[in-house]
Amino acid sequence: MHGVSRAATGWIGPRRALRLREPAVGYLFVAPAVVLLIAVLVYPALTTLRLSVTLPGGQLGVQHYGQLLSDPLFWQVVRQTAAFVVASVSAHLLLGLGAALAVAGTVPARGLFRVVALLPWVVPDVVAGIVWKWILNPLYGVLNDLLMAGRLVDQPLEWLTHPSLAPLSLILANVWRGFPFVMVILLAGLQSIPQDLYEAASLDGAGSWARFRFVTLPGLRKVLVVALALDTIWEVRRFGLVQAMTGGGPGTLTEVLSTQVFKQYFQFYRFEYASAMAVAMTVLLLAVSLPYVRMIMQEE
Amino acid sequence: MRRRAGTVLATAALLLLSVYVLFPFGWMLVTALKTEQEALRIPSTWWPHQPTLDAFVVMWTRKNYALYFFNSTVISLSTAVLSSAVGALAAYGFSRFPLRAGTFLMGFILTTQMLPGVLLVGPYFRMLSALGLYDTRTGLVIAFLTICLPFATWMMKGFIDSVPRELDEAARVDGCGWLGIFLRVVLPLSLPGLVATTLFAFLLAWGDLLWVSTLTHSESMVTVTLAIARTVQEFYVNWPELMAGALIGGLPSIVLYLALQRWFVQGLTAGAVKG
Amino acid sequence: MRRSGGRLAAVAVVAALVWTLAPAIRAGEVVTLRFSNWHLVETVWGRSLREAIRIFESRNPGIRIVPEPISYGEKEARYQAECAARRMPDVVKLHNFSLAMFFELGCAADLTPFVQKEGADFLKSWYEFPIKSLTYKGRLMAMPGDYMSMVLIYNRELFRAAGLDPNRPPRTWEEFRDYARRLTRDTDGDGRVDQWGFSMPASKNPGLPLRILPMVWSFGADFLTPDGRRSAMNTPEFREAFRFIVELATVDRVTPPGVTTFGPQDVRIQMAHRRIAMKIGSGWTYPIVNAINPQLNAAEVLEAAPVPAGRRRITAAWLSGWIMSPHTAHPEAAWRFIKFLTSKETEKKFFEDNRVISSRKDVNLLPLVKMDKFSRVIVQELQHARLEPQLKEWPEIFDAFATALQEAITGAKPWERALLDAHTRVEGILARR
């Protein structure tokens, strides 16, 4: 305990930390993960890439990309995916950070809250989609019954079929299921911030906002970046929940990239076009996540 | 005084959040305790008029949930342990060594997650068949590893970066090698992160449907999630049964969380003693 | 030299012994066949199939059948991946529109040689139409399974309660709409409608075309021009049919709210719990509805009638086929199993258990089938039934239609606009060919 305190106090001092030298040793640590990923992902990636430039006659060409980029439905789906991801990730962050701070603090029964706030995460996303669809069911849905019994609405709401309500219902369910991940990862991050820093800040007369701003946030920075990066990628790939809840409907209003790729591949048998769409999706994601990569590799 | 006001506010916010979180679970329970006939009443009944445990009984009598739980547990635990171990090693390498290709490799690891799973189904299928691992738990674990490992590496990188480097130095002076520093200093201090990562990988494997339904085919490989999803289909939908499955299906993960919570909350202290 | 010659002789003797003994050994061995079928997860069908498997195994001790349940929605995706890896189950069941796709992908074994070995008259027991439909480039690629027409299923008690004659189902679409309006009621007097005239599975699901096609066709409309090259979704007939279907939900309000989220089973559940009075269904409807709610007394209460007629009297046909994997290691055993599954005896069992109508004439001539009030109508309507287009692009074309249907019903677009957009989309799909 004392050892940590002393070291941690030193950490905030001006002395710049030494970095271990031998890169070869570093590569040894990294190797198992990298080799495994190369082994299992290079072949599928090349297959996809090749399919995406294979034309009906067997020649190679980029026509599928041309079709893709000129299809208004593709761009509509890109916009919808972006809206879905931005809304989900920001709500996850807001609720996750709030919940993590709250249960790490001095509230009563925080052990209980810690378990409660985790619960939605143990429900598989497909199952979460089905359960919410059941709650919002147009005939037997309990939420409408509750709202009507409480005289909050006088007509059942069309949660899953109203063109502007359906995307919101989807986000409602996705936030429910997804915020615990951010909470848990931030809660773990909070545990790693040395208690002394808070004590030192308090001694300096810092209020709770200042402590949050100058101790908590910087201490969480790396973990926060990781949580955001992973959550963003994860929400772009989100498939089961959307497929189970709305199947992309009404019409195509809740269609996202992952459900579109699935449809094109497994229902319309357009393997090449679906591959082109997947490659486009990867490129888009790559562009979005480059800043995250830079941030995570930044030196303090 | 101000502090108390903050606590009251936080408690109120948490209570509100709990309503949002618990409401679906409450309704799952109520539905699971109803007969199918009652579950389909309009308007719905708030509480089962004739409570029944039939939906839960069916899980163990007509369906082989004991086997499904066994499959899910074995697959998810293996995935969780393997991916957090390998991921932690990699993260340590990225965090503590000046690797020229570091940024590129971290980017590569993240990129592997960007291909939609649907596109991986065909190639994985062929690869696992060639290796004779199609329709085996091992094959599934390998498939899950490819999803969980990148996430584990990234998460652990975030946590290991937060461990003060001076501790490494101190341990080195005490005569620790690279692996010693990793095992005795870095890992214990990032234990909360390791727990979060393990939990993450476990839940990811537990909740998967795509891989289980494409990389296995026999009845003896069915997992809990697949069994639950199969209660809502083209020719068969049973709401009480689905809700019972969803509730029971979450229990192992909650048990795991409770078991790991000890290290999760006390990570710093526990690690410090060892360090 | 002599020594090695002796060794060679010894090897030859052993080899010859193995060669002659091998068949004997193989005969003693048990051949295992993988059998995948979506019915295995269903209550009624699942039981029936497992019983059939037991009968087959007891008669063929050398063959063991391993059942692999799969969901209706996921089957094509998996068989396709399995086929590409040469790991398809030895015997699977598919329905007509994906059958064409599997023939084209080379994911079905040619059954012609097996059929020829059975003798010239073997196929005479089946209707010609299903046999013709499962023949691809002159080869028989699947054995026909169940073969049914879509009919109107209605609840006679709800008819009576609404003051309608239960023995006189609606014969035209106008009459149908009028009936549906009168059947949409608040039965418990709480001010909320809780019974509807009609329901349909208007989510995007593989069961929707079977329920939509009879309506569209009977209005004299079709999706494609007769040569199959252009979309015909802009014809006055098609617009009339589309508008009629949409307005059942939006203007007449005779369908339950949320119709665009329903799958076929949701609609069956509504029928089983007396929420709806009419639906479009077929042979399978009665046993499934009966299993959901035995208290309905479906055998007495439900009736089948021809789908109402418009300009034409026409309906859609359901046809399923049994496929053998092109990569199976035991083609003879697989054929024996398929032959058993499509035999008169087994088809009769499938009828008794599941009320599905056979594609065998000899089964449908049995008094058992002819006397059944549902089957009578379904068999009789087969003469007016057509299959969904056997076109690789059909799922995508119908998806464009389903999108328009949902947009129009939920008010995302006015119906004219939604239909026009779908028409444009289908023209684009066809232009790619």
Side-chain angles (χ1 to χ4, degrees):
Chain A
M1 191 69 217
H2 302 289
V4 170
S5 307
R6 227 175 291 133
T9 321
W11 177 43
I12 51 166
R15 190 164 62 103
R16 196 178 167 279
L18 279 171
R19 251 203 144 185
L20 304 179
R21 291 281 168 236
E22 290 78 349
V25 182
Y27 281 115
L28 227 55
F29 279 104
V30 172
V34 173
V35 168
L36 184 66
L37 286 175
I38 290 178
V40 291
L41 282 154
V42 164
Y43 170 57
L46 288 181
T47 310
T48 305
L49 209 58
R50 208 193 130 72
L51 261 181
S52 76
V53 293
T54 305
L55 300 180
Q59 324 90 300
L60 303 182
V62 292
Q63 272 88 326
H64 298 297
Y65 289 94
Q67 260 178 42
L68 185 71
L69 298 180
S70 59
D71 186 351
L73 180 62
F74 172 69
W75 292 109
Q76 179 201 331
V77 170
V78 168
R79 278 195 304 277
Q80 282 163 196
T81 310
F84 174 75
V85 172
V86 168
S88 301
V89 171
S90 11
H92 287 165
L93 183 67
L94 216 67
L95 281 185
L97 183 62
L101 288 173
V103 298
T106 53
V107 293
R110 61 196 170 130
L112 186 66
F113 279 126
R114 228 177 250 158
V115 178
V116 166
L118 178 97
L119 288 177
W121 199 19
V122 309
V123 181
D125 82 328
V126 187
V127 178
I130 301 173
V131 167
W132 274 96
K133 191 180 176 186
W134 172 240
I135 290 173
L136 305 176
N137 189 296
L139 287 177
Y140 325 106
V142 68
L143 196 55
N144 272 336
D145 286 342
L146 272 177
L147 291 177
M148 284 173 71
R151 305 239 171 270
L152 292 168
V153 297
D154 33 72
Q155 275 294 313
L157 290 178
E158 300 170 351
W159 293 104
L160 298 169
T161 49
H162 191 280
S164 41
L165 201 51
L168 294 180
S169 303
L170 210 55
I171 291 168
L172 177 79
N174 196 39
V175 170
W176 178 80
R177 142 83 205 179
F179 87 88
F181 161 67
V182 180
M183 182 198 77
V184 166
I185 198 173
L186 293 185
L187 196 55
L190 283 176
Q191 307 299 324
S192 316
I193 300 176
Q195 208 50 46
D196 327 38
L197 295 187
Y198 286 104
E199 282 156 24
S202 288
L203 286 180
D204 290 347
S208 48
W209 170 249
R211 281 199 305 266
F212 173 72
R213 173 75 188 76
F214 296 105
V215 181
T216 312
L217 267 190
L220 277 182
R221 202 178 140 266
K222 276 278 160 87
V223 176
L224 212 56
V225 169
V226 170
L228 277 177
L230 298 188
D231 199 34
T232 305
I233 292 182
W234 209 240
E235 295 315 327
V236 174
R237 290 168 47 117
R238 177 78 48 223
F239 172 72
L241 184 131
V242 182
Q243 186 71 5
M245 236 177 120
T246 64
T252 50
L253 289 175
T254 57
E255 206 73 70
V256 289
L257 281 169
S258 59
T259 56
Q260 264 297 303
V261 172
F262 178 83
K263 271 207 177 110
Q264 296 289 348
Y265 196 95
F266 281 131
Q267 291 179 355
F268 304 160
Y269 307 109
R270 297 179 72 192
F271 310 126
E272 298 83 11
Y273 189 71
S275 303
M277 196 180 270
V279 172
M281 182 173 159
T282 308
V283 171
L284 283 175
L285 257 177
L286 206 58
V288 172
S289 47
L290 269 182
Y292 290 129
V293 178
R294 211 166 294 135
M295 274 192 271
I296 190 82
M297 291 313 286
Q298 233 164 42
E299 298 284 332
E300 253 103 298
Chain B
M1 196 60 216
R2 260 187 75 182
R3 186 159 225 171
R4 196 171 301 153
T7 306
V8 170
L9 213 70
T11 314
L14 278 178
L15 283 174
L16 214 64
L17 185 72
S18 303
V19 172
Y20 176 38
V21 163
L22 290 177
F23 174 69
F25 285 101
W27 192 237
M28 279 152 89
L29 184 66
V30 171
T31 308
L33 293 174
K34 286 179 178 176
T35 58
E36 202 195 353
Q37 176 95 31
E38 193 182 345
L40 298 170
R41 202 163 287 174
I42 306 177
S44 35
T45 46
W46 305 138
W47 192 249
H49 288 313
Q50 314 143 284
T52 166
L53 289 174
D54 281 357
F56 293 92
V57 173
V58 163
M59 292 177 63
W60 307 102
T61 52
R62 250 189 45 215
K63 306 220 167 135
N64 199 353
Y65 265 81
L67 173 71
Y68 308 156
F69 270 109
F70 173 76
N71 286 338
S72 284
T73 310
V74 170
I75 293 166
S76 310
L77 267 187
S78 320
T79 307
V81 169
L82 282 174
S83 59
S84 27
V86 179
L89 276 176
Y92 175 62
F94 281 121
S95 173
R96 293 303 204 254
F97 298 89
L99 306 181
R100 189 166 294 165
T103 310
F104 171 76
L105 286 177
M106 276 299 271
F108 164 76
I109 286 179
L110 201 64
T111 312
T112 59
Q113 291 318 287
M114 294 175 188
L115 267 183
V118 174
L119 264 298
L120 301 176
V121 167
Y124 272 27
F125 202 100
R126 282 186 286 262
M127 280 157 65
L128 290 184
S129 294
L131 294 172
L133 291 174
Y134 169 66
D135 197 33
T136 61
R137 294 184 197 90
T138 317
L140 270 185
V141 171
I142 292 177
F144 289 142
L145 266 184
T146 63
I147 314 173
C148 295
L149 185 54
F151 283 86
T153 308
W154 265 69
M155 277 170 77
M156 286 313 294
K157 167 89 165 77
F159 288 109
I160 292 181
D161 272 353
S162 319
V163 174
R165 297 217 159 83
E166 284 73 10
L167 296 184
D168 300 27
E169 286 300 314
R172 218 146 93 91
V173 172
D174 290 350
C176 264
W178 306 119
L179 206 58
I181 297 175
F182 172 66
L183 289 176
R184 296 214 196 115
V185 182
V186 173
L187 213 50
L189 282 173
S190 40
L191 211 53
L194 194 66
V195 167
T197 309
T198 309
L199 201 62
F200 176 84
F202 183 88
L203 287 170
L204 209 111
W206 189 277
D208 167 83
L209 201 57
L210 183 66
W211 297 119
V212 179
S213 65
T214 48
L215 298 182
T216 68
H217 62 70
S218 40
E219 276 183 301
S220 59
M221 286 294 146
V222 172
T223 62
V224 175
T225 305
L226 185 61
I228 297 171
R230 281 196 178 151
T231 52
V232 185
Q233 287 190 13
E234 196 85 3
F235 297 93
Y236 181 77
V237 178
N238 188 312
W239 293 107
E241 219 178 288
L242 171 89
M243 299 303 160
L247 282 173
I248 301 284
L251 285 182
S253 317
I254 295 171
V255 170
L256 180 74
Y257 174 68
L258 291 177
L260 293 177
Q261 209 189 15
R262 194 149 64 91
W263 291 285
F264 184 52
V265 181
Q266 303 171 349
L268 189 68
T269 340
V273 177
K274 279 188 212 144
Chain C
M1 199 56 206
R2 261 184 71 186
R3 230 156 143 208
S4 72
R7 205 182 292 163
L8 210 71
V11 170
V13 168
V14 172
L17 263 177
V18 170
W19 186 253
T20 45
L21 284 178
I25 295 170
R26 229 180 281 142
E29 255 173 30
V30 173
V31 165
T32 310
L33 289 181
R34 290 170 51 207
F35 171 56
S36 176
N37 190 313
W38 73 86
H39 292 309
L40 286 165
V41 280
E42 295 167 40
T43 324
V44 188
W45 248 112
R47 198 183 313 127
S48 174
L49 262 178
R50 280 170 213 271
E51 280 165 14
I53 290 172
R54 270 196 294 278
I55 297 172
F56 177 77
E57 285 179 336
S58 69
R59 289 185 199 161
N60 297 274
I63 305 176
R64 204 168 67 85
I65 306 292
V66 182
E68 293 178 9
I70 189 163
S71 79
Y72 189 75
E74 74 190 90
K75 66 183 185 305
E76 276 90 2
R78 208 181 58 207
Y79 297 160
Q80 230 177 76
E82 287 178 326
C83 173
R86 310 176 69 86
R87 293 291 301 258
M88 211 166 116
D90 300 287
V91 177
V92 307
K93 186 185 191 187
L94 285 171
H95 49 67
N96 64 289
F97 82 71
S98 47
L99 275 166
M101 186 63 209
F102 275 70
F103 300 162
E104 207 166 305
L105 287 172
C107 294
D110 180 4
L111 301 180
T112 321
F114 299 101
V115 171
Q116 278 166 353
K117 240 183 272 171
E118 298 292 336
D121 287 344
F122 181 67
L123 289 180
K124 291 263 166 67
S125 307
W126 279 267
Y127 293 104
E128 264 171 52
F129 181 70
I131 296 286
K132 215 178 76 199
S133 310
L134 301 180
T135 305
Y136 178 74
K137 293 186 178 161
R139 317 296 291 178
L140 185 68
M141 305 303 283
M143 278 302 283
D146 33 20
Y147 172 48
M148 289 171 258
S149 62
M150 299 304 288
V151 295
L152 184 76
I153 307 277
Y154 66 95
N155 181 323
R156 64 182 298 132
E157 277 185 5
L158 299 187
F159 266 48
R160 195 175 295 139
L164 296 164
D165 178 0
N167 296 320
R168 200 198 169 287
R171 292 184 188 149
T172 64
W173 287 113
E174 266 324 302
E175 217 174 18
F176 169 84
R177 172 151 65 184
D178 181 50
Y179 274 48
R181 281 201 196 117
R182 293 169 64 177
L183 287 160
T184 302
R185 312 163 52 204
D186 167 16
T187 56
D188 58 7
D190 68 349
R192 225 171 129 181
V193 172
D194 52 16
Q195 176 194 306
W196 291 268
F198 176 65
S199 187
M200 58 182 166
S203 71
K204 290 185 180 176
N205 70 81
L208 182 59
L210 282 175
R211 279 93 179 162
I212 289 291
L213 284 170
M215 294 183 151
V216 169
W217 284 341
S218 74
F219 271 81
D222 208 340
F223 284 78
L224 305 179
T225 53
D227 63 2
R229 288 166 187 273
R230 302 289 301 270
S231 160
M233 291 166 65
N234 59 348
T235 58
E237 292 84 4
F238 201 102
R239 288 162 53 87
E240 191 188 349
F242 185 72
R243 182 176 181 181
F244 179 81
I245 299 169
V246 168
E247 289 188 348
L248 286 176
T250 57
V251 176
D252 309 313
R253 296 178 158 273
V254 297
T255 61
V259 71
T260 57
T261 64
F262 299 160
Q265 189 70 5
D266 294 307
V267 175
R268 287 181 207 120
I269 290 174
Q270 291 157 14
M271 179 139 256
H273 292 288
R274 301 184 188 86
R275 292 289 163 217
I276 58 162
M278 298 186 281
K279 74 187 272 301
I280 291 178
S282 195
W284 56 76
T285 306
Y286 155 68
I288 303 182
V289 168
N290 187 47
I292 297 170
N293 182 17
Q295 287 148 349
L296 176 72
N297 192 12
E300 291 297 316
V301 167
L302 295 190
E303 298 287 347
V307 169
R311 290 190 185 87
R312 281 190 281 184
R313 179 157 181 206
I314 189 169
T315 187
W318 155 276
L319 172 65
S320 72
W322 301 98
I323 281 189
M324 185 197 295
S325 161
H327 313 117
T328 179
H330 314 288
E332 288 300 334
W335 169 249
R336 213 186 293 178
F337 186 47
I338 291 181
K339 207 174 109 188
F340 169 78
L341 287 169
T342 55
S343 65
K344 184 176 175 189
E345 173 203 4
T346 314
E347 289 273 271
K348 177 168 164 263
K349 172 178 172 53
F350 287 160
F351 172 78
E352 284 169 331
D353 297 343
N354 315 300
R355 298 305 165 98
V356 294
I357 311 295
S358 175
S359 47
R360 291 181 73 110
K361 286 181 280 190
D362 50 4
V363 175
N364 293 349
L365 287 174
L366 294 170
L368 175 84
V369 180
K370 288 171 81 176
M371 302 298 280
D372 179 75
K373 67 174 180 180
F374 299 106
S375 314
R376 212 168 40 216
V377 180
I378 294 164
V379 173
Q380 165 210 315
E381 289 304 296
L382 271 177
Q383 55 180 317
H384 303 290
R386 257 171 65 188
L387 283 178
E388 294 172 58
Q390 308 272 319
L391 198 65
K392 182 170 168 260
E393 287 81 7
W394 172 243
E396 201 181 347
I397 292 170
F398 193 81
D399 184 82
F401 172 85
T403 300
L405 184 66
Q406 295 190 352
E407 286 169 343
I409 289 179
T410 60
K413 286 179 188 167
W415 72 266
E416 295 96 332
R417 186 63 219 264
L419 185 58
L420 188 65
D421 287 352
H423 169 72
T424 315
R425 186 138 201 106
V426 171
E427 289 276 272
I429 295 167
L430 292 169
R432 282 204 312 264
R433 301 183 76 195

